[in-house]
Every structure is written in C-alpha cells, then in structure tokens.
Amino acid sequence: MWQSPEPLLFEMSSPGRTAFSLPELDVPETPLPNDLVRDEVDLPEISELELVRHYLRLSQKNFSIDTHFYPLGSCTMKYNPKVNETAAGLEGFARTHPFQPEEMVQGNLELMYRLQEALKEIAGFAGISLQPAAGAHGEFAGVLIMRAYHLDRGDTQRIKMLIPDSAHGTNPASVAMSGFEAVEIPSDQRGNVDLAALKAACNDTVVGLMLTNPNTLGLFEEQISEVIDTIHACGGLVYGDGANLNALMGVARPGDLGFDVMHFNLHKTFTTPHGGGGPGSGPVGVNQKLAPFLPGPIVNRGADEYRLVMPEKSIGRLKAFHGNFGMLIRAFTYVMMMGEDGLREATLNAVLNANYLKARLEKVYPVKYNRTCMHEFVAMGNIADSIHTMDIAKRLIDYGFHPPTVYFPLIVHEALMIEPTETESKETLDRFVDALLKIAEEARNDPDLLHTAPHTTPVTRLDEVSAARKPVLCFKG
Ligand SMILES: *Cc1c(COP(=O)(O)O)cnc(C)c1O
C-alpha cells in the first residue's frame, strides 16, 4: 500500500485561516436570524489546500476492491466492472422518474423483465421479484412468502423455522422479524446438516428450513436431496440463502435441487457494488406454487407492452417504487456481458481459486472441515502460542491486504474465512499466500509484532467494541 510520508494530522486549525475568500460586501449588512448563528461550534480554520490534502489523504487510506485484494468470506467482493457504471449512467435510465407512467418507461420495464427472466433461468425458479433491497431483505420476503403459503392452506400451527448452526446471522434474524421461532440444527463431522437431528426436529409445526448451499464453511451440502425431501415430507418449505450462488451459477440450479424459495445478492454474485451500507439488491425467486405470493409489483410482458402487476396473493410491497433500479441495471449488464458460458466460467474460477488458496495454506492454517471447497473455505488463525485470528487479520493490513472474515462461522474456533472470488489473478493469490506464510513465521519468531499490528496505519490496534459503541465523530481527538 502506498504510504503518505506525512502523518495524517487532525489538529490542523490555525486561527484566521480560511478556505474561501468572498468579494467585498456591496449590499447593506443584515444580521442572520439568531438561531442560525452558533458561536459555540468550534469549526477548524484551514486553507483550501490543506482541506483538499486532508480529505484526499484520508480517501487514500481506504481499502476498496478497486485498490486492494479483498478476500472477505461470505461477501463475494468481486470486481465491479466499469461498464456497469456506464450502463447505469445512461440518461434514459438515470433520468427517469419513478412516477413516470408505464408507457413512458417501457425500456426500463423491459430491462427489469429480462433480468427477472435471466435470474429464473440461472437459478431454476418460476417467478422472481426484484423488490428487496438487500440479502436480508430478500430473506424477510422469502419467510413472509412461506408464512403466506401455509396460512393460505389454512395450516396455522407452523411456527418453527429450522436453521443449521452454520447459517449467516441474518437467517435467524429474518425468522424473528417474521414472528417465528428459530430452531438450530447442528452440523455433522463433514460440515453437512446433521440428518438425524434434522429428522428429529421435523414435524407439523415446522414452517420450513433455511439452508445456505454451499454453506458458510464453503462446503456443498452432500445430502442435499435427503435434506430437502425430509423437510417436504413433513409439509415444510425449503428456503435457500442464495448469497453463495457464486459457487453454483451455470453448474447447478437451486430450483432443480428442490429449493422452494431463494434470495439472490446482486451485490455479491452479480457484481453490483456493496459496502458502505448499500444500495444493495436481494431479489427473491420462487417455484410455481409460491409465485402468487411474491412481493410486487413485478413486470409482466403483455402482447406489445411491459406492465407492472401485483401477484394474485402478494405479500405486498417491500420497497418504494421498483427496488434499487440502479443495481438492476448493473446486474443486467453483467449477465448480458458474461452470457451463459461466462457465468459458468466465473463459478469454475471462483471455486478453483478458493481450492488453490486452501491447498497452499492448509498445512500452516488448519482447515477444520477439510474437503474440496466451493468458492470459499474456513481456516483457523490460532497457529502459535498466544496468537489469535485477530492478530493474523491485523497483520495482513501491514502487507496491504484486506483481512478475511474473522470469527465466523461460529462453529469453527478462531475462524478465518477466505473467499478470493474469480476476478483475482494467480499472481495476486500467490502474494496473499506468501504474506500469510510470512506472518506465520513472524507468529513463531516475534509474536509481539502481530499482537500490536497493524503498524502502517494512522491508528493502530483499536478497541473495536468502544469504536462501534461510542464512535468519536468529531474531527477533534
Ligand atoms: C451476505 C449474506 C447475507 C445477507 O445479505 P445482505 O445483502 O448483506 O443483507 C445472508 N446470507 C449469507 C450467507 C450472506 O453471505
């Protein structure tokens, strides 16, 4: 990482300095209303040049996919192609107003329709709604669809959602938000759902199962058919957390495997930007029997026009207007640019890259559930006495790498969850492995170097809990 030789100063104020100059007053001086003038706001006084340098330097301290390798497990931080931005910036898209009547925005509706069709084809579903604004929002939609389906059949005693212990935290949260009870199902020795425990938990109070496949260990569920059949046999539905679709696209379709409903993360699998809180996009896909319950409006194609329609028994609207339309344009651009073969190749390379990293690292960073992985794998960072995963993660920053996801999933002690994505070169992957191997040497020879890392950043080891709970938002220290 390029380092500014000048320290990042925050106390830059010098009385009387300004970043502006105004022409001499040529109108009568009039005082501002009292409540607009607050003398106690002690703003910094600095020149324009100092101001520009301060913010530019700050921006250069950021990690981003455009500047650094970003192997954040379960997040799919793949490259965001710049052509997506060009497409989203086209005037016809960027300048439409959500209140324009349907006949004036046929092109926008066509794009939404064609994206719905593409997602159906990619994942094997009968219906898609583009409404949800994030993965977790898509989960919430999916769980409400499951509830609506059961209630519509007059089946009112189903209150429990089964969730494997390898699930993302948003799964139980979505269940709680929907008024259901989450029941945890353990994983077995190979990192699959424990079938015996699943069977024992299945009865007519079960809404369904929320399953991530591949799961957050980066492992394909080896008994997927038995798992799905078990749930269906007791009248439940199977929800697929599709955040890990980057491992399946073009190779296997969740709809064909028997999933009833699933969300996509366009900001993971389909290259729309994420981080910084959005905007994201989490379309939800369903099979034929759940299609009437989709949130709406969705886009239908009539004889010679595209129309917004509300599905017959829709759970309703989840988002103002038509979802995060800008994200839909970017995802559509990506899908069209890649085509069927390109999407499949992306998946194959994502899986290849993860297995390559695993093969080079597993002797030094043990992998608890060690079998051929999909798009990510979970190693462990407690590789020497007194060394924890957090030390490894912080030291990686000194080598110019964004740390992987740490301490998740919870079922792996000292977890270090690595997802390289398909968009990285072998050279980058090798540099990352070399850094991790070097850090492992340091861990043995000079553990304090790791305990106090990072050393190259303006602030070093933070108290992360206080930083999150009591953030200092003032420019002054
Ligand atoms: C990212 C992720 C989610 C949540 O998606 P958001 O868009 O962040 O709300 C859910 N499940 C898994 C497995 C994920 O990786």
Side-chain angles (χ1 to χ4, degrees):
M1 178 170 35
W2 179 81
Q3 285 297 317
S4 160
E6 292 176 65
L8 198 59
L9 292 176
F10 282 86
E11 306 300 340
M12 300 170 72
S13 188
S14 176
R17 248 174 232 172
T18 57
F20 61 89
S21 56
L22 296 175
E24 234 167 85
L25 193 66
D26 60 357
V27 292
E29 189 170 335
T30 312
L32 284 167
N34 270 343
D35 53 352
L36 284 183
V37 190
R38 288 160 57 203
D39 282 336
E40 77 278 11
V41 184
D42 185 17
L43 293 173
E45 297 175 81
I46 60 171
S47 70
E48 179 177 310
L49 179 58
E50 287 167 324
L51 186 72
V52 168
R53 283 192 183 149
H54 177 70
Y55 280 107
L56 191 62
R57 273 189 214 130
L58 267 186
S59 75
Q60 288 170 334
K61 299 285 176 201
N62 275 342
F63 271 87
S64 69
I65 314 174
D66 284 354
T67 55
H68 296 89
F69 180 44
Y70 210 132
L72 205 57
S74 198
C75 281
T76 313
M77 302 298 282
K78 56 164 90 174
Y79 177 62
N80 308 139
K82 298 309 163 220
V83 66
N84 291 357
E85 299 307 312
T86 308
L90 291 173
E91 289 226 330
F93 291 134
R95 290 183 173 265
T96 39
H97 192 281
F99 279 135
Q100 273 175 268
E102 284 171 32
E103 62 271 19
M104 281 181 73
V105 292
Q106 284 293 304
N108 300 33
L109 296 183
E110 178 179 349
L111 181 139
M112 290 172 70
Y113 178 81
R114 289 175 64 187
L115 180 60
Q116 288 172 191
E117 292 300 300
L119 294 178
K120 278 187 202 170
E121 180 65 29
I122 289 166
F125 286 114
I128 299 278
S129 169
L130 302 172
Q131 281 253 311
H137 203 198
E139 288 173 31
F140 181 55
V143 176
L144 291 185
I145 290 169
M146 293 162 86
R147 184 175 73 175
Y149 168 79
H150 288 307
L151 292 180
D152 187 59
R153 292 183 304 123
D155 195 345
T156 55
Q157 84 278 13
R158 295 184 183 267
I159 49 165
K160 289 182 188 156
M161 187 74 83
L162 310 183
I163 304 184
D165 58 6
S166 62
H168 196 264
T170 49
N171 290 188
S174 300
V175 167
M177 290 277 290
S178 313
F180 292 133
E181 183 190 325
V183 177
E184 189 172 284
I185 304 294
S187 303
D188 68 14
Q189 297 284 312
R190 288 182 60 77
N192 292 313
V193 172
D194 184 326
L195 257 185
L198 185 74
K199 286 186 174 147
C202 258
N203 56 42
D204 63 3
T205 65
V206 166
V207 179
L209 168 76
M210 285 184 94
L211 185 71
T212 315
N213 187 36
N215 63 23
T216 59
L217 296 166
L219 300 175
F220 193 88
E221 178 61 53
E222 291 171 304
Q223 305 145 321
I224 186 66
S225 299
E226 283 109 310
V227 167
I228 290 178
D229 291 348
T230 301
I231 298 297
H232 285 162
C234 72
L237 297 167
V238 182
Y239 184 96
D241 179 329
N244 294 342
L245 197 64
N246 209 37
L248 297 184
M249 261 190 318
V251 179
R253 305 199 309 168
D256 296 345
L257 293 174
F259 285 91
D260 299 287
V261 42
M262 185 192 92
H263 80 262
F264 302 76
N265 292 65
L266 299 190
H267 47 286
K268 292 181 184 172
T269 317
F270 297 96
T271 69
T272 78
H274 69 310
S281 185
V284 60
V286 293
N287 61 14
Q288 201 71 50
K289 72 178 175 206
L290 297 183
F293 303 98
L294 277 174
I298 60 174
V299 183
N300 271 5
R301 188 165 66 177
D304 47 20
E305 56 168 9
Y306 294 93
R307 255 185 265 118
L308 288 165
V309 296
M310 219 49 186
E312 191 194 332
K313 298 174 181 175
S314 176
I315 59 165
R317 255 184 192 283
L318 283 174
K319 177 88 178 76
F321 304 114
H322 314 303
N324 277 328
F325 184 63
M327 294 302 118
L328 308 182
I329 302 168
R330 289 172 175 86
F332 181 73
T333 306
Y334 176 70
V335 170
M336 288 301 124
M337 196 177 65
M338 297 294 275
E340 209 178 306
D341 294 341
L343 292 178
R344 181 182 160 82
E345 208 180 313
T347 293
L348 298 180
N349 285 330
V351 172
L352 178 63
N353 282 357
N355 278 285
Y356 178 69
L357 286 187
K358 184 168 82 67
R360 279 206 63 197
L361 287 169
E362 66 197 353
K363 288 209 181 67
V364 178
Y365 293 87
V367 177
K368 182 172 168 193
Y369 299 93
N370 201 350
R371 53 183 165 97
T372 304
C373 67
M374 301 295 285
H375 63 305
E376 66 192 358
F377 65 100
V378 182
M380 291 186 285
N382 51 336
I383 53 169
D385 286 346
S386 87
I387 294 296
H388 295 283
T389 287
M390 190 58 80
D391 303 316
I392 309 286
K394 296 296 184 192
R395 185 64 180 145
L396 266 173
I397 296 173
D398 288 333
Y399 284 88
F401 294 103
H402 193 288
T405 299
V406 294
Y407 298 104
F408 177 80
L410 302 176
I411 54 173
V412 177
H413 184 58
E414 295 284 336
L416 195 60
M417 185 194 208
I418 301 171
E419 178 177 7
T421 79
E422 74 281 7
T423 47
E424 297 298 332
S425 67
K426 180 166 178 297
E427 288 81 359
T428 300
L429 299 182
D430 282 331
R431 281 195 304 113
F432 177 66
V433 171
D434 293 344
L436 274 172
L437 297 179
K438 184 87 195 309
I439 291 170
E441 265 171 45
E442 293 171 350
R444 284 188 300 273
N445 302 330
D446 188 4
D448 272 349
L449 189 63
L450 272 65
H451 294 148
T452 49
H455 301 280
T456 57
T457 46
V459 283
T460 55
R461 189 71 70 103
L462 289 172
D463 172 353
E464 302 207 355
V465 177
S466 300
R469 301 245 165 96
K470 296 184 204 145
V472 180
L473 300 175
C474 181
F475 73 96
K476 291 203 158 179

